[in-house]
Amino acid sequence: MLKKEINDLLTQTGNGTPMGEMFRQYWMPALLAEELPENDSPPVRVKLLSERMIAFRDSLGRYGLIDEFCAHRGASLWFGRNEASGLRCSYHGWKYDVTGQCIEVPSEADNSSFCQNVKLTAYPLVKIGDILWTYMGDPQKTPDLPEWEFAHVAPEQTYTSKRWQQSNWLQAFEGGIDSSHVTFLHSGGLKNDPLFKGAKGNDYNMNDTKPFFEVADSEGGLFVGARRNAEEGTYYWRITPWVMPSFTMVPPRGDHPMHGHFWIPIDDENCWAYSFDYHPVRALTEAERQAMLEGRGVHSKNIPGTYRPVANLDNDYLMDRESQRTGYNYSGVEGIAIQDSSLQESMGPIVDRTKERLVPADSGIIKARQKLRKAVIALRDEGVTPPGVDTAHHHVRSAAIVLPVAESFMDSCREAVSATPGTPQTTV
Amino acid sequence: MLLSSCARAATAAEAAYRIDAPIAPARAARVVALDGGAVGVARRVAQHPWASARFLVCEGIADGGSADGLLLRRIDGAPAVLSVELDRADVVVMIATEDGGAACASAIGRACAELGIMTAGLVLGEGFESAAAVAALRPHARVLLPSADESDVTELLTALRA
């Protein structure tokens, strides 16, 4: 249960809101690099933190993320012509470079300096891995570029997708640290999904449906450990890292690629779910990459030409009651990602947390909300940089491991949950 | 098709039609301080206005380690009996700062397991003493927060509507 004012504090991310200011402390995914595939490719509408922008890649390969609307009459630059190192408004020909600086106003005299005084709001846009990242905060405080492992391994080792989720970012993110739903909602996926099935850890998962939980602080956020009975005298641990504000990883299964998410607010009632898979020491196989392209694992099958899932709230997520009845899919919805989004979107665009009835197994969520609240207030009241901005906090991994009952997962897994380039993941 | 007959009913406007029934306290919580350091925390947290939470101090355990041998007191000093305290309880939150309360935790954990009562453990502080407390609580707390602070106790109980 959260008080309404705390729910509002954590779910509102527009400009000038405390949580919005916190998101503006971080480099965050703005769009996939595939959306701007080549120089002078068509501009793309981008809405983040309730701000509407246009992303484009100019003739020299520079990326820009600028206010969507022309300074002249407010027309959308999505209709613009991306040409000769700038984006030109189709209405009256005003032209802007990647910094938002107006560089041409055709109606003015040739030697006019008028355009020098016209500049649209612009944010940096940088390609790292498969993602174009932006930082929407104070330019004087621009942090170091992101160092997440999935974005820095070789291209053949990583794959990232995104999907539109019609809910506030917080309820989507909370699913990422909620280990106890996996045994139910995703039980079909553990048996059927090519990117999940076949791991020894799945047996432990399914044989013990009442895990114990440990929620441990980390410098960047939390580690949530879920412990299940394994062989005599041992526990099977699944360790989920969360780094503020919205990076999580799913504990690995066998030699499958590791995966995780970012949840990025579009506005207060929509977010992007960025989903990545990578293997730290080998290339993804053709079969793995194909499965990801088909929307298996943590990815989604999207409507061609869009990032909206084929199964969405307008078609009841293609609910299959026969699949539900037989248990092929526990909820009757196909796919890990859509199983999550269907239930999270059903809660309403911003779930009313004053009416929740949480249980101790929700301690990871309770603790994460508390840490978010404290960080937001510390930033607002004292200007304290929140956890997760420091790139040292990016060097985390999830892990799955069998340990003797007497061992603490945090003591035994310090290396396992640290992203050391070139070392394999710790997995069962 | 009526909007409320399909998933598109997940709009802010449709949320207004959700049944708005009052929510009773969800948890009859018992909060047990397992050592001297935890007692002060329990006393301060107990001053908040809780719906049905009861706060207890475990002062030790008689030889044999059975639940009946627990030396238990209410936070106001009145003697208490575990079996009475657990009657109608549905969650027990144990607070520890060191491993001195390990035997008490074990007895409480066993009693809760028999009665189907959920257990949570919060270990306050860092370092060797808290590590020992974590090890002592791990077998008996279905949910364990090993690096908790005082606000976590309040936060957990608030979230549980205790």
Side-chain angles (χ1 to χ4, degrees), chain A residues 70-72 94-97 99-105 108 111-121:
Chain A
C70 180
H72 178 210
W94 290 34
K95 187 177 180 184
Y96 302 91
D97 69 13
T99 71
Q101 179 65 52
C102 184
I103 52 177
E104 261 189 69
V105 177
E108 296 289 300
N111 59 352
S112 167
S113 60
F114 170 72
C115 67
Q116 292 171 15
N117 298 318
V118 179
K119 191 171 190 301
L120 296 175
T121 297

Side-chain angles (χ1 to χ4, degrees), chain B residues 41-65:
Chain B
V41 174
R43 281 192 202 288
R44 288 188 291 277
V45 174
Q47 289 171 8
H48 293 268
W50 301 109
S52 58
R54 280 192 224 151
F55 292 81
L56 303 154
V57 176
C58 191
E59 296 180 330
I61 190 164
D63 287 346

Side-chain angles (χ1 to χ4, degrees), chain A residues 367-378:
Chain A
K367 182 80 178 174
R369 291 176 185 174
Q370 179 206 41
K371 292 198 73 145
L372 282 168
R373 191 192 77 227
K374 285 184 174 178
V376 168
I377 291 172

Side-chain angles (χ1 to χ4, degrees), chain A residues 1 210 212-215 217 227 313-314 316 345-347 349 354-357 360 363 367 370 373-374, chain B residues 6-8 10 12 18 20 23 26-27 118 138 141-144 146-147 149 151-152 155 159-161:
Chain A
M1 192 271 277
K210 290 185 179 293
F212 283 54
F213 292 98
E214 287 191 24
V215 183
D217 264 311
R227 170 188 116 196
L313 61 72
D314 284 330
D316 275 333
E345 291 177 357
S346 79
M347 297 155 84
T354 67
K355 295 181 175 169
E356 292 173 328
R357 301 187 72 149
S363 290
K367 182 80 178 174
Q370 179 206 41
R373 191 192 77 227
K374 285 184 174 178
Chain B
C6 70
R8 281 186 291 169
R18 291 189 177 202
D20 190 17
I23 300 170
R27 286 280 168 176
M118 186 73 184
R138 178 170 290 123
R142 293 200 68 91
V143 174
L144 189 57
S147 49
D149 60 33
S151 68
D152 287 311
E155 206 80 41
L160 299 180
R161 300 176 181 276

Side-chain angles (χ1 to χ4, degrees), chain A residues 12 19 27 31 50 52 67 75 97 140 148 170 173-174 235 240 268 326 349 373 398 423 425:
Chain A
Q12 295 174 358
M19 192 70 213
W27 284 98
L31 64 168
S50 300
R52 290 182 58 168
D67 187 343
D97 69 13
Q140 305 299 319
W148 308 104
L170 186 62
F173 148 69
E174 287 175 348
Y235 291 133
T240 300
D268 292 347
T326 61
R373 191 192 77 227
S398 56
T423 62
Q425 71 272 43

Side-chain angles (χ1 to χ4, degrees), chain A residues 96-352:
Chain A
Y96 302 91
D97 69 13
V98 292
T99 71
Q101 179 65 52
C102 184
I103 52 177
E104 261 189 69
V105 177
S107 61
E108 296 289 300
D110 285 348
N111 59 352
S112 167
S113 60
F114 170 72
C115 67
Q116 292 171 15
N117 298 318
V118 179
K119 191 171 190 301
L120 296 175
T121 297
Y123 301 110
L125 194 62
V126 177
K127 181 179 182 299
I128 300 174
D130 294 333
I131 290 176
L132 299 178
W133 305 76
T134 191
Y135 167 74
M136 295 171 64
D138 179 353
Q140 305 299 319
K141 297 179 180 173
T142 305
D144 291 339
L145 290 168
E147 295 186 5
W148 308 104
E149 187 177 35
F150 79 94
H152 282 274
V153 294
E156 62 272 20
Q157 292 173 238
T158 189
Y159 173 82
T160 304
S161 68
K162 77 173 190 181
R163 66 177 165 82
W164 170 29
Q165 177 152 339
Q166 292 175 263
S167 79
N168 183 264
W169 78 278
L170 186 62
Q171 66 210 56
F173 148 69
E174 287 175 348
I177 53 170
D178 170 17
S179 288
S180 59
H181 79 283
V182 175
T183 310
F184 300 94
L185 182 60
H186 302 317
S187 54
L190 300 187
K191 292 177 281 189
N192 309 324
D193 193 289
L195 297 168
F196 280 65
K197 68 181 182 182
K200 171 71 175 166
N202 296 352
D203 296 336
Y204 299 132
N205 243 114
M206 299 310 299
N207 291 339
D208 185 353
T209 58
K210 290 185 179 293
F212 283 54
F213 292 98
E214 287 191 24
V215 183
D217 264 311
S218 70
E219 290 189 348
L222 293 174
F223 286 109
V224 180
R227 170 188 116 196
R228 292 174 171 85
N229 291 315
E231 285 75 20
E232 184 69 27
T234 60
Y235 291 133
Y236 169 61
W237 287 90
R238 294 180 59 74
I239 304 160
T240 300
W242 164 55
V243 179
M244 282 198 206
S246 62
F247 171 90
T248 66
M249 281 186 72
V250 181
R253 298 181 185 280
D255 191 46
H256 290 306
M258 307 173 77
H259 31 252
H261 304 278
F262 275 97
W263 284 278
I264 304 299
I266 297 171
D267 53 34
D268 292 347
E269 298 190 353
N270 297 275
C271 66
W272 289 119
Y274 282 85
S275 303
F276 60 82
D277 257 291
Y278 75 104
H279 200 291
V281 293
R282 67 163 171 82
L284 304 179
T285 67
E286 203 170 304
E288 287 169 343
R289 192 171 289 276
Q290 185 58 33
M292 293 166 198
L293 286 164
E294 291 171 358
R296 310 303 291 269
V298 295
H299 307 282
S300 57
K301 186 175 182 181
N302 293 339
I303 296 168
T306 78
Y307 293 98
R308 190 180 200 205
V310 169
N312 58 59
L313 61 72
D314 284 330
N315 54 28
D316 275 333
Y317 306 93
L318 305 175
M319 165 63 82
D320 181 346
R321 294 291 179 188
E322 180 62 12
S323 173
Q324 185 186 62
R325 189 186 66 75
T326 61
Y328 185 81
N329 284 311
Y330 188 80
S331 74
V333 171
E334 176 76 18
I336 306 282
I338 307 304
Q339 287 159 7
D340 283 327
S341 66
S342 57
L343 294 173
Q344 292 159 2
E345 291 177 357
S346 79
M347 297 155 84
I350 306 176
V351 67
D352 181 356

